[in-house]
Amino acid sequence: QVQLVESGGGLVQPGGSLRLSCAVSGSIFSIIATGWYRRAPGKERELVASITNGGTTTYADSVKGRFTISRDNAKNTVVLQMNSLKPEDTAVYYCKAKAQLRAGSLVYDYWGQGTQVTVSS
């Protein structure tokens, strides 16, 4: 069993900051990459940011320069620091881990339950 537990969502004013954290636990051989996705009302889920176990990061154009993803490999935790938040960042944010449960096994995606981020004055 793999569990992803997100925390840190909430209500913030435009221009404010929030820090999302995702703790990955379970019997895991290797985490290949972790990432944050979001789904706004009436829209498709989209990638916000991702990071590989080697530290390579990817960001959506809409968040570049404002959001930073980081990972603590020893603790299997990934953090999304969100600054200069805008109303259009309002969404449910989901953490995803791409992981192997055993050496040589297939790689699967595992998702957290989501955390609400609302940017409003």
Side-chain angles (χ1 to χ4, degrees):
Q1 293 271 348
V2 177
Q3 287 189 319
L4 285 75
V5 178
E6 300 123 332
S7 60
L11 173 64
V12 65
Q13 292 186 342
S17 298
L18 280 176
R19 184 175 182 270
L20 304 184
S21 182
C22 175
V24 184
S25 62
S27 181
I28 302 170
F29 171 72
S30 176
I31 297 176
I32 309 303
T34 49
W36 288 93
Y37 291 71
R38 67 187 180 188
R39 177 177 283 152
K43 295 187 176 181
E44 297 289 323
R45 185 169 57 192
E46 63 174 353
L47 172 68
V48 177
S50 66
I51 184 167
T52 68
N53 59 1
T56 300
T57 57
T58 301
Y59 294 94
D61 288 342
S62 59
V63 307
K64 283 180 181 176
R66 300 188 298 122
F67 292 10
T68 302
I69 190 170
S70 60
R71 177 174 161 178
D72 184 333
N73 288 338
K75 296 181 179 180
N76 283 348
T77 299
V78 61
V79 171
L80 183 69
Q81 178 65 42
M82 305 186 294
N83 299 327
S84 302
L85 283 160
K86 305 175 181 180
E88 50 264 42
D89 294 317
T90 295
V92 178
Y93 283 70
Y94 299 89
C95 178
K96 185 186 88 171
K98 189 178 290 290
Q100 282 180 303
L101 299 189
R102 295 178 301 280
S105 68
L106 295 176
V107 177
Y108 290 100
D109 292 339
Y110 299 90
W111 292 88
Q113 79 286 355
T115 185
Q116 177 70 45
V117 171
T118 302
V119 184
S120 175
S121 55

